[in-house]
Each structure stands twice: as structure tokens, then as C-alpha cells.
Amino acid sequence: MPRCWQGLVDFDKKASLTDLRAAISNAVAQGDPLLAEYLRDRLAEMIGGNADTALTVLGWATQASGPELGILMGSIKESSAVRDPRVASALLATGEQKSAASDLRGSALEALETQHRLDEASIGRMKAIAMDDDAESAAWIATRTLGRVMNEDFKRTGSYQAYWKELLSVGKDSPETGVQLLALEMPSYADPILEDNDLEVLTKLLMTDPDRSVREMAAHRLSVTRSPNKVLAIYQQAFPAEQDECVRWAIFRFTVRVGGAGAMPILAAYAALDPRFKDDHQDFMAIYAAGTVDFERVWMGKVERHQCVLEEGMPH
């Protein structure tokens, strides 16, 4: 049951910024996460749009660790001041500090997720963190933050190219497979239609990357395109050369996404090459014959026949 916090109403009326910090430390020390969460929200209200207050709290956060660090950074993230240029710049600078603890760097980068946009210089700095082999979890969080701001900017303005250019570069060149895969996955949450100049890099990943999950994700990314015939040709080239069943299954189903009912002859050729996909071909034939057109509904009617773990965001 929730605890009854004596004197909390009176505390709310009179508490200063430093009082809130002391109360947060006390709540953490007493192991009271509900009170700590309440105080985080209260601190976010007190910060509001005041950049100086946010920077004061950021200074405290750089000296904190564990749950207290999460609460302090969380209050900045929830405040409107997080989008003040001075605050955003200070958070990014904290995320860049190679000598700082990974949880501090990560929490600072995570606080930037609520930005409405990033300028090209900030995008480049975020990419540098993502590509740093020694950044540990900060590289993964930088990639995720870059992708989340991209999706936010895309929803607001339709702009995504500057972000995607760097995410695609991370997806191609990152030394960490988890970061590489996340970079390619991030557009899934807004599904911008990619330009033809991205096809070459994605095709190379589909055809040559040593990691199965990356090849699957490349097949996924290729499916949101303005040039369906080009992508279908890429899939038809990749399918015979691919040996992994799950990557072939990704190519198979995203061929349907790109080509719709018109892709059935291509599926027939896939199934002739690999009999494991004969039943899938028949499934899709029956679904389209029933009049279903939208791929999401097509997919909902499809029996799962392959033991492949689907990555988050797949299929759409």
C-alpha cells in the first residue's frame, strides 16, 4: 500500500529548490520509490521553463549516482526548460564527456529525447558518441536519442534526412552490432519514405553484413520506398544468395509489402528455389484473393511458419 507522507502538503507549499534536493536524497536513502517519483515530478514543475534552475539541477546530477541521478535527470527531461538551447547544449556536453561515468553520460543523452529538433552540429556530435567504441551504453542511448528526435522532427515538419544520413552511417559502420541494428531500426516508428540514394548502402548491408539481424533490418528498411521496382529487383538478387532461413523470410514478407498482390509471381519463384516457403506463398495468395490489400491486415491474417525472432518494429 502507498505510504502516508506526513507533512507533504505543507512541504509542497514552502519547499525551496534545495529542500527538494534534500527530500529526494532522503527518499532514495529510505527506499521509498513512490515518494521519490512524486518529488521528481514536483522538481520538474519547479524547474518549469527556467534554464538557470535546470542547469543548477544538472550540476547536482553530475555529482549524483544511482536512483538519485535518474530522478534529477528525469526532472530536467520532464521540464520545458530541457529545450532551452543552453540546457540542451549542457546535456549534450555531459553526454560527450569520455571521463564521466556511463550512467551519467547515458542519462544526459536520454534527457535530450524530448527535443523537437537537433541542428546539424548537434546531430554530428550525437553520431560521434554513437560511433565511439569505448562509449559503452552511451553509444546505444545516443543512437536511440538521435532516432527519437528524428521521428519527432519528422512528425512536426516532415524533415528526417539529416538524422537518417547519420543513422545510416552508424548502421553501416558501427563496431557494435546492437548499436548498428538500433540505428537501422529507428525509422520504423515514423516510417519516412527513404530516398533512392539510400538504396546502395542498404543493399550492401542486405547482401554482405555478417550479422543476420542486420540483414533482416536492411530488408525491412528497403521496403519503405518510392522505387518499388528497384527494391523488388534487389530482393530478387538477394534471396538466392542468402542462406539463412530467417533473412530469406524477411526478404519474402517484405517483397509482399513492396509489391502487394503483384508480387505473387516473385514469391512463386522464391518458393520454387526454397520449398520451405511454399506454404507462405499459398497463404499470401489466399489472403489477397479474399480482397485484403493493406499490408498490416495482410500480415494479421498470415500464419507464422518460421521460428524467427522478429526485431522490435517488424513487420509493419
Side-chain angles (χ1 to χ4, degrees):
M1 295 294 293
R3 301 181 187 184
C4 180
W5 299 312
Q6 295 292 331
L8 188 59
V9 173
D10 189 53
F11 175 83
D12 264 349
K13 292 178 180 178
K14 300 178 181 179
S16 66
L17 192 64
T18 52
D19 291 335
L20 271 176
R21 184 194 183 187
I24 288 169
S25 297
N26 189 48
V28 169
Q30 292 182 357
D32 192 339
L34 292 177
L35 177 57
E37 183 179 353
Y38 172 82
L39 293 170
R40 179 200 66 200
D41 295 343
R42 184 71 184 86
L43 181 55
E45 291 177 2
M46 187 173 286
I47 294 171
N50 190 313
D52 290 329
T53 304
L55 292 171
T56 296
V57 176
L58 177 57
W60 295 342
T62 61
Q63 304 301 315
S65 61
E68 187 171 356
L69 170 61
I71 292 165
L72 294 172
M73 282 295 195
S75 70
I76 299 172
K77 182 180 179 180
E78 289 181 10
S79 73
S80 58
V82 74
R83 287 180 287 276
D84 182 279
R86 288 192 295 147
V87 177
S89 178
L91 288 167
L92 182 52
T94 301
E96 289 176 315
Q97 291 179 9
K98 295 188 176 186
S99 61
S102 60
D103 58 346
L104 172 60
R105 297 182 70 186
S107 63
L109 295 168
E110 186 175 0
L112 289 166
E113 289 180 351
T114 55
Q115 300 298 300
H116 293 166
R117 67 178 302 274
L118 295 172
D119 60 31
E120 289 199 22
S122 297
I123 292 171
R125 291 166 67 187
M126 197 79 75
K127 177 200 173 182
I129 301 169
M131 289 295 296
D132 186 352
D133 198 17
D134 297 322
E136 300 177 342
S137 61
W140 192 92
I141 294 171
T143 304
R144 186 182 66 183
T145 296
L146 191 56
R148 288 183 172 176
V149 179
M150 175 187 72
N151 290 335
E152 179 65 22
D153 200 353
F154 177 67
K155 291 173 185 176
R156 288 173 177 272
T157 69
S159 175
Y160 73 92
Q161 290 88 347
Y163 306 90
W164 173 238
K165 174 187 174 184
E166 304 302 355
L167 284 170
L168 184 58
S169 177
V170 172
K172 179 170 68 77
D173 297 325
S174 171
E176 294 292 332
T177 299
V179 172
Q180 184 184 16
L181 185 60
L182 181 65
L184 296 173
E185 180 185 1
M186 290 313 300
S188 300
Y189 301 96
D191 268 352
I193 300 176
L194 306 183
E195 302 298 330
D196 283 2
N197 54 12
D198 297 325
L199 296 183
E200 182 178 353
V201 173
L202 290 169
T203 300
K204 184 175 181 180
L205 287 170
L206 175 61
M207 299 289 289
T208 65
D209 196 273
D211 189 272
R212 184 200 99 182
S213 296
V214 173
R215 299 198 304 278
E216 286 182 281
M217 190 58 70
H220 183 191
R221 285 275 60 78
L222 283 163
S223 70
V224 187
T225 178
R226 301 182 192 275
S227 303
N229 291 334
K230 289 182 181 180
V231 171
L232 290 174
I234 292 167
Y235 287 158
Q236 288 174 276
Q237 180 186 5
F239 190 91
E242 178 60 59
Q243 300 302 311
D244 186 277
E245 177 184 356
C246 292
V247 180
R248 280 188 165 183
W249 173 225
I251 295 169
F252 195 99
R253 67 178 181 271
F254 289 118
T255 293
V256 178
R257 186 184 191 186
V258 174
M264 295 305 108
I266 301 175
L267 300 192
Y270 291 163
L273 183 65
D274 190 336
R276 292 175 295 185
F277 295 94
K278 285 185 176 180
D279 288 338
D280 298 297
H281 175 221
Q282 294 301 316
D283 289 344
F284 283 122
M285 288 278 288
I287 291 168
Y288 279 107
T292 307
V293 177
D294 180 76
F295 181 69
E296 185 174 348
R297 291 182 174 84
V298 168
W299 181 253
M300 288 172 62
K302 176 71 178 74
V303 176
E304 179 56 66
R305 300 183 183 277
H306 303 276
Q307 300 303 310
C308 299
V309 177
L310 302 181
E311 302 298 337
E312 185 180 359
M314 296 171 57
H316 281 247

